[in-house]
Structure formats: structure tokens, C-alpha cells
Amino acid sequence: MADQTHPPADTLQIGDTLHRRGLMFILSSPSGVGKTTVARRLLAHDPAIRMSVSVTTRLMRPGEIEGVDYHFVDQPTFDEMIEHGHFMEWAHVFGYSYGTPKAHVKAGLKDGQDYLFDIDWQGTQQLYQRAESDVVRVFLLPPSLEELHRRLSARATDSSEVIAARMAQAQSEISHWDGYDYVVVNDDIDACFHKVCEILHAERMRRARQTGLIAFVRELMRGSHSA
Ligand code: 5GP
């Protein structure tokens, strides 16, 4: 059977040599929808995308690693970072502060590096206002609120009060679904992951991102004159 996941070698070569501007790939959803799973898979499968690690004032959960899941800081440190303009965006979520550090992202985009952002709708709006053409906004929805409650309870890292608060928060978060470019319902994690990959691949091919196209087409046309 033909391998449909890999384009012919000559296409690959052209794609690899053409310079492309990186993109800011935002994944948002209420907690418990599977965003972290999708994000981890994407990072494991696609070496061209790197996580933008946020700064937060919330406590570290079991299994989380400093510098990998978040940079964990206290509130005075976070406030100082705001004051010094270290964030691309920041917001209060569930009573804690979360922010995206500016470092590296700007220069990386120019070099063709893609970044994955796991941020809420407030941060998404701020990034979109700052860098509209670099931003791709993807929102994940649960198949139902009952299923979301089941998934949050199964996680067992949060107390019942926290789960209740997250369920209430989920409904307000879902109300911002129309501020996104793509909305995917996660009723099957494999199918959801596959759709997210397709979105990423298609967005990479946008003409405006393929900054090497101008020189390539110029060369192409020159070839056609001399043929
Ligand atoms: P959690 O505490 O469960 O890891 O994340 C809670 C919420 O904060 C999630 O909706 C997540 O997307 C959001 N979040 C994480 N990092 C950032 C950030 O840097 N900026 C913003 N605006 N939201 C964030």
C-alpha cells in the first residue's frame, strides 16, 4: 500500500530548502479535555515544534517538573517580571498568575522555529493582538460536560472543591470558543490528535509563512525563460 504520510523525496527536498517563518500554535481548552495529552504527543512526534514553557504562581502538582511543565515562581517574582516587561502575555487563571515569557520566541520564529502554547483564552487574545499573522488558535471541546466531570474526577490530583471550581470555569472557558481559528471535539484522543496534526501541517504551508517562496519562484520563472 502507498505510504500517504510521506510526500515524494523531491517534494521533501524543496520543502526543506525553502525558508519558512515559524508559527505560534495555541492549544486552549477547559482543563480535563485532553489538551496536555495532545500537546505532549505533538512534541514527541514533531521535532520542529517546541513548547513555550509558561511561568506560574500556582503550586507544583505531583509529577510536574520545574522548567518542563512550568517555571514555578512566587507572586513577588511574577509581579517583578510583569514590571520588567518579560511577558508576551499574562493572565489570572483560577486565582493564580500565568504568563508566557518573551525570551527566545521572537528570534526563534524568524529562524523557522514553531512554538506550542498551552494558554487560556485571555492569553490567546493578547498574543493574537500582538502577533496576529504568526498565531494559529486551536480550541479543544469535551464531547459533553458529564464526560468532562468524569475525566476531571479520574485525575485524582485535585480536591472535590477544585474539581467543582474547574467545572464552573469550564463553562465560562467554553463560551470563548468563537475566538479561535479551529475547534476540535475530543471524543477520541487519537482522532483529536490526528486533526490537530493536520491543522499544524496545513498552517505551515501557508504562502505568507513560506518566506523562501519569493526567491524560489523568481528562480523558477528565470528557468522557464531560458528553457
Ligand atoms: P493548569 O494550572 O491546569 O496547568 O492550567 C490552568 C490554565 O492556565 C489552563 O487553561 C492553561 O491553558 C492556562 N495557562 C497556562 N499557562 C498559561 C500562560 O502562560 N498564559 C495564560 N494566559 N494561560 C496559561
Side-chain angles (χ1 to χ4, degrees):
M1 208 175 92
D3 182 353
Q4 297 183 337
T5 56
H6 292 102
D10 57 341
T11 319
L12 256 185
Q13 211 180 1
I14 291 169
D16 282 352
T17 50
L18 283 190
H19 188 267
R20 177 176 72 78
R21 187 169 165 78
L23 52 81
M24 298 161 85
F25 198 71
I26 301 178
L27 270 185
S28 296
S29 76
S31 54
V33 175
K35 178 182 50 177
T36 308
T37 308
V38 170
R40 285 199 181 133
R41 273 207 204 175
L42 205 53
L43 293 167
H45 281 80
D46 193 332
I49 195 161
R50 192 179 291 170
M51 190 76 199
S52 160
V53 181
S54 295
V55 179
T56 184
T57 59
R58 84 148 160 76
L59 295 176
M60 199 187 272
R61 294 199 188 113
E64 287 185 328
I65 300 168
E66 160 64 33
V68 175
D69 296 287
Y70 284 103
H71 298 288
F72 296 92
V73 300
D74 57 17
Q75 193 65 55
T77 306
F78 194 94
D79 293 342
E80 214 170 284
M81 291 180 79
I82 297 175
E83 228 169 86
H84 289 104
H86 286 176
F87 291 122
M88 293 182 90
E89 62 76 31
W90 64 273
H92 292 297
V93 189
F94 306 130
Y96 295 103
S97 302
Y98 293 81
T100 301
K102 263 188 203 160
H104 306 313
V105 173
K106 258 187 160 176
L109 288 174
K110 211 169 162 212
D111 292 341
Q113 176 66 53
D114 297 324
Y115 290 94
L116 178 61
F117 294 80
D118 171 348
I119 61 175
D120 81 332
W121 64 272
Q122 305 171 81
T124 303
Q125 272 187 356
Q126 292 175 50
L127 283 194
Y128 187 72
Q129 278 159 11
R130 280 189 172 213
E132 181 180 331
S133 58
D134 289 329
V135 167
V136 179
R137 301 163 296 176
V138 182
F139 194 80
L140 305 184
L141 282 175
S144 68
L145 289 182
E146 290 74 26
E147 175 61 16
L148 181 63
H149 190 270
R150 199 191 60 73
R151 289 180 193 174
L152 282 177
S153 308
R155 213 154 64 165
T157 52
D158 295 323
S159 66
S160 55
E161 293 81 35
V162 170
I163 292 170
R166 285 183 184 238
M167 280 304 293
Q169 195 69 30
Q171 303 196 41
S172 92
E173 186 92 19
I174 288 170
S175 71
H176 298 283
W177 68 279
D178 58 352
Y180 287 77
D181 304 304
Y182 300 90
V183 178
V184 181
V185 178
N186 181 14
D187 48 6
D188 176 272
I189 192 71
D190 292 331
C192 176
F193 174 64
H194 183 67
K195 286 173 190 164
V196 170
C197 287
E198 285 184 328
I199 294 166
L200 175 60
H201 293 155
E203 284 287 343
R204 281 177 174 155
M205 296 305 292
R206 271 188 186 272
R207 178 172 53 81
R209 296 212 165 92
Q210 299 207 58
T211 43
L213 266 180
I214 295 171
F216 175 75
V217 174
R218 195 179 295 139
E219 199 55 38
L220 190 72
M221 298 312 275
R222 196 174 298 153
S224 78
H225 284 304
S226 59

